[in-house]
Amino acid sequence: TVKVGFMLPYSGAYGTIGQTIENAFKLYVEEQGGKLAGQDIQYFRVDDESNPSKGPDNANRLIKRDQVDVLVGSVHSGVAMALAKAAKDAGVTLIIPNAGADAITGPLCSKGVFRTSFSNWQPGYAMGPVAIDKGYKTAVTITWNYAAGQESTDGFKEAFEEKGGKVIRHLTVPFPTVEFQPLLTEIASIKPDVVYAFFAGSGAVKFVQDYAGANLAANIPLLGSGFLTDGTLEAQGASADGLLTTLHYADNLNTPRDNAFRASFSKRYPSNPIDVYAMQGYDAAQLLDAGLKAVGGDIKKRDQMHEAMSNAVVDSPRGQFKLSAAGNPIQDIYLRQVKNGKNEIVKVAVEKLADPARGCKL
Amino acid sequence: MSSLIEAKSLNTHYGESHILFDVNFKINPGESVGLLGRNGMGKSTLIRTLMGHVRPSSGQIKIRGDDHTRSAPHQVSRLGVAYVPEGRGIFPNLNVRENLLVAARPGVNERNDWSYDRVLETFPRLTERLGHGGQQLSGGEQQMLAIGRALMTNPDVLILDEATEGLAPLIIAEIWRIIGTIRETGVATLIVDRNYRKVLANTDRCVVLEKGVVVHEKQSAALIQQPELLTQYLGV
Amino acid sequence: MDVTTYLIQCLNAVQYGLLLFLVASGLTLIFGIMGIINLAHGSFYMIGAYMAFALQPLVAQYLGGGFITTVLVCIVLAALLGYFLEWAFYSYLYTRDHLQQVLMTYGLILVFEELRSIIIDNDVHGVSAPEWLSGSIQLGDLMTYPTYRLFISAVCIIVAVFMYWLLSRTRLGMMIRAGASNREMINSLGIDINQLFRVVFALGVALAALAGAIAAPVSSVYPGMGNAVIIICFVVVVIGGIGSIKGAFIAAMLIGFVDTFGQILFPQVAGVLVYIMMATILLFKPEGLFKQG
Amino acid sequence: MTTAYYTTLIIKVMIYSIFALSLQLLVGCTGLISLGHAAFFGVSAYAVTLLSPEFAAGNLLWLVPVAVISAMVYALITGPLALKTKGVYFIMVTLAFAQMAYYVFHDTKLGGGTDGIYLNTRPELRIGDAVLLDISSNYSFYVFTLGCLIFTWGFLTILMRSRFGAALTGIHVNEQRMRAVGYSTFGYKLTAYIVAAGFGGLAGVLYAIKDGYVNPELLSWEQSGIVLFMVILGGTSRLWGAMIGAAGLIFLQELFQSEAIFGAFAVHWHLTFGLTVIALVALMPTGLIGLPKQLSKRRGKKKPSPTVRSATVH
Amino acid sequence: MSQTLLSAKNITRRFGGLIAINNASLNLNQGAVHAVIGTNGAGKSTLVSVLSGEIPPNEGQIKMLDKDITDWSQPDRAQAGLGRSYQRTTIFPSLSVHENCRISAQSKHQKFWNWGTPHTKCDFTNEAASHALELAGLSQFAHRKAGLLSHGGKRQLEIAMCLATRPKVLLLDEPLAGMGAEETDRMLGLLNDLKKEHAVLLVEHDMDAVFRISDEITVMVNGCVIAHGEPEEIRNNPDVQTAYLGDEA
Ligand SMILES: Nc1ncnc2c1ncn2[C@@H]1O[C@H](COP(=O)(O)OP(=O)(O)OP(=O)(O)O)[C@@H](O)[C@H]1O
Ligand SMILES: Nc1ncnc2c1ncn2[C@@H]1O[C@H](COP(=O)(O)OP(=O)(O)OP(=O)(O)O)[C@@H](O)[C@H]1O
Ligand SMILES: [Mg+2]
Ligand SMILES: [Mg+2]
């Protein structure tokens, strides 16, 4: 048997996301007949509460108490940082199904750490060319004053300015404040061509609502990283209509692979929404499967397994992808637009975008 | 005529320590009773038990004929019992005016002798301090306030536990005069005071406590004639 | 910053300050005046918001009412909840060390959060503002201002006036303050302090729930929303001077301004500005701006 | 191998015991309730991490003192200001100072921002080239932490038994009277504040070494809150209440989170844990340290319980 | 009369608009009990607080044995030998009666660098505490929790704590309040002994006691000193009679 430990948020703001990832992971294993490479899979799980200061202890629960072979987690970047450190120290394989901190597949990259989601830089960078294509010359970026937001807006700025645009102001709100009114007023007085925003969860809901409430959208279009509108559309209601965002997934890719995945997932978990998190969790299982297959299910041959995982081609619902040397997906980033409560694909914003993995020595 | 307050064989404990032993005690309407005893003999404890702040471990308390052994202090108070505790119990975070008004209410049978104005007339010193916080008053001012506040409830029994502590002689004289007036209006009083002569002079009957036991209960006038008793129990 | 922007920012600041006051108003009662260190205040706010979200369809179906009816239902239910909680959990803590309140209310937070997650879920939900308040007014050349925010401000002002009246113009205020400082004495004066505290506590919970319900359409409802406001509520009450409604109001306004202009003028330190302000005020006025009594 | 986990768990308990003991010096002994104690914990944790060489073992000999002193320096700067206030105001000022430290690490690049930074190699005790103490193994680190705990507890016990401790007790109960009989209470309080910061810092150092990862959340008010809850849960009337509280809180969390015991319901551990906390408060007015006394009382006699209905506050 | 230990000159203290003390002066001499009497709210307690350093005066000068101590803090003055008791009982309710006094006594022997001996084992403080308790007549209650004493007991403890610091100058704010007749007698006897070595300021409303024991009396009304003199003088002063004594004289 192979022991898989989920360290995911099951309570608090990210509680649903954690559950979705777990469900999708298990779905893939079930599709394989309950075994990966002939091995039974035994699950353990720990609620990480999205609390980085408890991260190391929670990681230890799985690594030392339950002695898992493979760790899957987490959603929150800070927790994933703790997890990466613990996994590295203990020599356990880690598959990150969401957290996007650049550093994990950057300066802190390591052989046994893989990510099936994205780096914060990726969706941000992909929005740059989109903004240029639309003819925008000046932009304002806005985000919470924390690492993920900074990385995403940096990505946008990098691409936008490479192509001749100019980010004239970078606005930040203290994390996790959701009082955006002053900065909206500020945006109205700066009058840029476009605004690029990175928020997630409740902040995303509130920001999009306030942006619409201030009626700014009519004059200054809002662009964002995909998390602005993923998992939040129900709460945002009409205020999100028409928003353009970039992400490595969309709600109507309409590829056979994606349709099969969606059908299967909604059959197994009717009440669970299918979103990017489900897809990332599913791919985490696929990646593990690829690794285990290469070593014939013998988890002891870790180095070989890691080798196989970094070379695997994952047949993801988002489209096939490979991992970069640093362990981050090289993937198409889609431009999506909110229509009828869905993030519908407009086009591929950037094809096969790889994270630059700055600082990674692998 | 039934007693206003009547306690039968009260025993009171503080945790493990036994303070009152089979105390029988009563106050009749309009009667003035003095409670004498050295420091720590249980005078305040008896009062607190009657008020309902301390629950007796056995015995019975009747007020106006009804059993109130287990009643809460506010219920006792609403039967017309007003209490001026030792240490005054001024609300430090309320000013003088509020300290008085918070207590204001008509007594039993809608009796309404003591209005805000009348209390202030009685203690003119307070008039000058209306806006001051309770904390800022001088000790004597606080004492006046405590008595005034008790009167605001228009009681039938006024319990004064060391009510003249810290007052100037003139004011003490005034207080005894007021107690006299109060007595005349038919309000019963229960008085604890270190000045036993004044107590004897201003009460109908006196109860002497010694280590939680009632050792004497006599008409005040009679007790005055027995200095040897006073020496024995009060050390004077 | 041109004049129009400046004025709009002032409006933002005032509006935010008013909202803060509304959220903190229940705490002013429970903590400021009754003296209970109630960490669970944020949970009451959260409960109000979630009730507004969950009850709206039910109210529409059974009572045929809209948003306002829902808010009223929330207030009533919250008051009942508060009454029950005081009886079941808070009443035996008054005579104990205040630190015990800290621990117990911490336990309550955990329980409420978990119940919320079990009964509703862990997602973010929007609550729609009533139709007749969904308009907006033009501000500057690009921006509009949602009418609903003005409505919130109006509610805040009404609550402020109501509380000021209640506490300084009625005897109730005196009784609560007196009870907070010396329960035994107020009892001796014939006031049933247990009952009184229960009612006032219920009122405090109702105010917190009102704040949650009213704010729900602009803030959306999400897990942890209670804990997000609890610290700032304490900051409001403490800066104002414990027990002072006027102080809390002014403190909320100050925070509104510091926060609003801090975000624009000193974005790098915006998060900490409120705390710097609190520390500074308390260093010069160690008992808050308007100490009571 | 699972023993490794329980060793780690006990190490965690010991570190939090040190942390809670240091706060007990303020809360239980001096009556200064601080909601900013995590600042010292975090400052030291960051200090030891930032000062350690990136890929080699640092030297405990100077790392620990320097990290601890950095926390004490922070206390020395903020203490005199915070001590100008009292009661709830003190709580809030300490909170404010802790939040300031929190935002320094959260919003600047100094310590890796919100992502935090790694301490890659555990430091060791070296003099010259001779390694006197190597704590890279779990067991040796366990012994080292135990030593620190005993040192902390011993130091504080002796401190509280000394005249200095008696003066702190007096200040706790009635500061006005202490000044009237001739103690300059400010100096005492400040000293206690700084000593507490030092031990809080020691706990932070150990914590950073234990996990090799520090994050701004170590300085958050939730962290300050948790250690305060530990102190209250254990009981403030005895020094060691803090240790009982730390152990109690951590083991309760561990228990209710355990899927082995509670199965799927373990996900809702906040509920069981919260209810337990409430029950403990209700049943144990003096904290966990009151438990033996209560049990013996219950077993002892069926006498009428104390009859005082409401405690008098004079 | 012997040495002047403490002298206050032209003290004024205001609380907002209220003048609590208005230009008052007085001297405390060794070997004498100086009583300060006056109407309620006259400013007597405020005067004690100003002398002891708890509240700073707005104007005026305070000297102790020719040293100007106006700017000294309260603890410094206490160290220099100024002891005070409070009108509103100010004790350590959760500690035992003996501990109350021991902590007071320890202020003269703080030695906070001395960690070797537990504070309970210090002979000096233990003796001083026991002695003070004996003087105040509380020895039998030494091991009771102070908060559980009766009101009168607490008042006695208040004095004992003041004595435990072995002050040179005693500022006693209504020490007799709340004490029974017997304890009053004892207290007066004690004061009689104490005054040989100390200077005593006695604020008191019990006129019997004041006239029995004091050597000098200052009368305050509304913050002003209206009379000063020997007991007989004061007793017969008509102003004092109308303002304060009434028919007590
Ligand atoms: N809360 C308490 N717990 C335990 N014992 C107490 C408590 N309050 C008072 N006592 C004890 O009970 C006894 C009686 O106290 P009480 O206050 O009734 O005396 P008293 O006659 O009023 O004396 P005084 O004249 O000094 O006020 C005293 O020995 C006192 O120490
Ligand atoms: N902190 C304060 N703030 C404002 N006013 C005060 C303060 N302390 C005292 N006062 C006022 O100053 C005046 C003098 O008070 P003080 O306590 O000195 O009187 P006292 O002479 O001791 O009276 P008593 O004999 O009644 O104790 C009083 O009117 C009192 O209300
Ligand atoms: Mg008494
Ligand atoms: Mg006085």
Side-chain angles (χ1 to χ4, degrees), chain D residues 46-63:
Chain D
Y46 266 100
V48 74
T49 310
L50 290 171
L51 293 173
S52 292
E54 202 173 341
F55 294 110
N59 191 349
L60 283 175
L61 194 63
W62 65 272
L63 273 179

Side-chain angles (χ1 to χ4, degrees), chain C:
Chain C
M1 213 187 293
D2 61 79
V3 180
T4 337
T5 315
Y6 176 76
L7 288 178
I8 300 176
Q9 293 295 20
C10 288
L11 175 68
N12 289 333
V14 169
Q15 200 263 328
Y16 182 48
L18 284 171
L19 183 63
L20 277 182
F21 175 79
L22 180 65
V23 178
S25 61
L27 194 67
T28 320
L29 272 186
I30 294 178
F31 167 62
I33 298 178
M34 291 168 67
I36 305 170
I37 306 181
N38 180 32
L39 297 185
H41 182 76
S43 301
F44 300 144
Y45 170 78
M46 181 267 294
I47 289 171
Y50 270 89
M51 281 203 292
F53 161 71
L55 295 180
Q56 202 160 25
L58 297 180
V59 168
Q61 189 180 346
Y62 293 105
L63 298 176
F67 182 74
I68 299 294
T69 327
T70 312
V71 171
L72 292 178
V73 171
C74 290
I75 294 177
V76 172
L77 290 179
L80 291 176
L81 174 75
Y83 193 87
F84 165 76
L85 287 175
E86 206 278 351
W87 172 78
F89 296 110
Y90 289 81
S91 56
Y92 60 90
L93 288 180
Y94 295 122
T95 52
R96 297 229 201 127
D97 187 353
H98 281 224
L99 286 175
Q100 301 264 314
Q101 298 169 347
V102 174
L103 194 56
M104 203 206 57
T105 52
Y106 163 66
L108 281 179
I109 295 182
L110 296 176
V111 171
F112 286 136
E113 273 295 319
E114 201 57 47
L115 286 178
R116 190 259 316 133
S117 126
I118 294 174
I119 297 172
I120 314 267
D121 56 23
N122 283 327
D123 292 336
V124 186
H125 297 284
V127 176
S128 48
E131 203 59 36
W132 53 278
L133 283 173
S134 58
S136 56
I137 53 170
Q138 189 70 34
L139 277 189
D141 46 357
L142 292 186
M143 253 184 108
T144 63
Y145 205 78
T147 326
Y148 188 75
R149 284 181 177 262
L150 297 179
F151 167 74
I152 296 184
S153 301
V155 173
C156 299
I157 292 174
I158 293 171
V159 168
V161 172
F162 164 76
M163 288 194 45
Y164 187 77
W165 168 82
L166 184 77
L167 292 173
S168 53
R169 292 281 175 275
T170 67
R171 255 180 76 198
L172 187 72
M174 297 177 204
M175 293 201 241
I176 312 167
R177 277 186 281 142
S181 72
N182 191 339
R183 289 176 72 81
E184 186 172 314
M185 195 58 226
I186 195 78
N187 235 330
S188 306
L189 293 174
I191 293 160
D192 185 353
I193 192 67
N194 294 331
Q195 190 63 23
L196 181 67
F197 264 38
R198 213 151 283 166
V199 170
V200 177
F201 190 89
L203 183 61
V205 175
L207 278 173
L210 167 70
I214 290 278
V218 295
S219 77
S220 68
V221 305
Y222 54 96
M225 65 185 298
N227 296 346
V229 300
I230 182 66
I231 286 287
I232 198 75
C233 286
F234 273 96
V235 171
V236 167
V237 176
V238 165
I239 291 185
I242 293 170
S244 165
I245 296 291
K246 188 169 69 175
F249 189 82
I250 290 175
M253 284 298 155
L254 270 178
I255 295 176
F257 273 88
V258 165
D259 220 72
T260 301
F261 286 95
Q263 278 187 28
I264 303 155
L265 302 177
F266 315 100
Q268 282 317 307
V269 290
V272 73
L273 275 182
V274 167
Y275 297 100
I276 293 180
M277 177 180 87
M278 174 165 77
T280 318
I281 288 180
L282 292 184
L283 292 182
F284 290 101
K285 291 216 147 207
E287 305 203 296
L289 292 173
F290 293 90
K291 174 164 197 289
Q292 273 287 313

Side-chain angles (χ1 to χ4, degrees), chain B residues 137-140 166, chain E residues 40-41 43-46 87 173-174 203 205:
Chain B
L137 296 186
S138 83
Chain E
N40 291 120
K44 305 180 295 296
S45 300
T46 310
Q87 180 174 10
D173 198 354
E174 306 204 15
V203 175
H205 286 300

Side-chain angles (χ1 to χ4, degrees), chain A residues 94 96 101-115 119 310 322-330 354-362:
Chain A
L94 169 66
I96 300 171
D102 287 352
I104 296 178
T105 55
L108 305 175
C109 67
S110 131
K111 279 247 175 282
V113 177
F114 307 92
R115 181 148 61 189
S119 71
S310 21
K322 277 191 65 169
L323 295 181
S324 67
N328 196 56
I330 304 173
D355 182 85
R358 296 183 181 111
C360 176
K361 299 199 182 73
L362 282 178

Side-chain angles (χ1 to χ4, degrees), chain D:
Chain D
M1 225 324 235
T2 36
T3 54
Y5 173 69
Y6 291 101
T7 319
T8 324
L9 185 66
I10 291 178
I11 291 175
K12 181 179 166 192
V13 168
M14 293 195 296
I15 293 175
Y16 271 99
S17 293
I18 296 176
F19 193 19
L21 274 173
S22 72
L23 183 62
Q24 182 79 294
L25 180 66
L26 292 183
V27 175
C29 304
T30 322
L32 295 169
I33 301 163
S34 161
L35 190 56
H37 210 53
F40 310 126
F41 188 80
V43 164
S44 283
Y46 266 100
V48 74
T49 310
L50 290 171
L51 293 173
S52 292
E54 202 173 341
F55 294 110
N59 191 349
L60 283 175
L61 194 63
W62 65 272
L63 273 179
V64 174
V66 169
V68 166
I69 287 171
S70 59
M72 292 168 83
V73 168
Y74 191 63
L76 181 66
I77 298 168
T78 59
L81 302 174
L83 287 169
K84 280 187 157 187
T85 56
K86 292 200 166 62
V88 175
Y89 298 98
F90 180 80
I91 299 182
M92 297 307 280
V93 175
T94 50
L95 168 76
F97 284 129
Q99 289 294 86
M100 289 177 200
Y102 170 80
Y103 277 105
V104 166
F105 290 109
H106 187 277
D107 287 356
T108 67
K109 287 267 162 270
L110 179 65
T114 45
D115 279 346
I117 39 169
Y118 289 167
L119 172 68
N120 287 311
T121 323
R122 279 186 184 171
E124 58 200 11
L125 186 61
R126 274 195 311 258
I127 295 181
D129 280 336
V131 177
L132 300 182
L133 179 66
D134 174 14
I135 52 171
S136 56
S137 89
N138 229 2
Y139 178 70
S140 56
F141 184 56
Y142 169 86
V143 175
F144 181 69
T145 312
L146 182 63
C148 290
L149 175 61
I150 292 174
F151 172 72
T152 307
W153 183 70
F155 185 95
L156 293 178
T157 308
I158 293 177
L159 180 74
M160 286 314 291
R161 269 190 0 175
S162 75
R163 300 181 200 187
F164 184 85
L168 292 188
T169 312
I171 291 171
H172 181 186
V173 185
N174 191 339
E175 184 175 351
Q176 186 189 22
R177 172 51 86 172
M178 288 301 277
R179 291 179 58 80
V181 295
Y183 292 90
S184 22
T185 53
F186 180 81
Y188 277 94
K189 290 196 289 186
L190 185 61
T191 311
Y193 191 73
I194 294 173
V195 171
F199 283 106
L202 177 63
V205 169
L206 293 171
Y207 196 84
I209 295 177
K210 165 174 156 289
D211 294 329
Y213 171 57
V214 293
N215 181 286
E217 297 309 311
L218 294 182
L219 294 91
S220 66
W221 69 268
E222 285 94 343
Q223 182 82 353
S224 300
I226 283 291
V227 61
L228 184 59
F229 298 145
M230 288 173 175
V231 166
I232 305 171
L233 182 69
T236 51
S237 56
R238 292 278 182 285
L239 192 61
W240 46 271
M243 291 195 276
I244 307 283
L249 201 81
I250 291 173
F251 283 126
L252 283 179
Q253 287 187 355
E254 194 65 25
L255 175 72
F256 292 124
Q257 271 182 84
S258 157
E259 296 216 331
I261 300 174
F262 287 90
F265 195 73
V267 177
H268 302 302
W269 70 276
H270 282 126
L271 186 64
T272 36
F273 178 64
L275 289 172
T276 310
V277 167
I278 294 173
L280 288 178
V281 175
L283 301 176
M284 277 177 247
T286 53
L288 288 176
I289 54 172
L291 188 62
K293 206 171 174 187
Q294 265 190 335
L295 286 181
S296 70
K297 206 186 233 169
R298 192 152 307 161
R299 209 173 312 142
K301 36 205 156 280
K302 295 226 163 69
K303 251 194 152 178
S305 51
T307 47
V308 187
R309 185 172 290 162
S310 47
T312 339
V313 191
H314 286 293

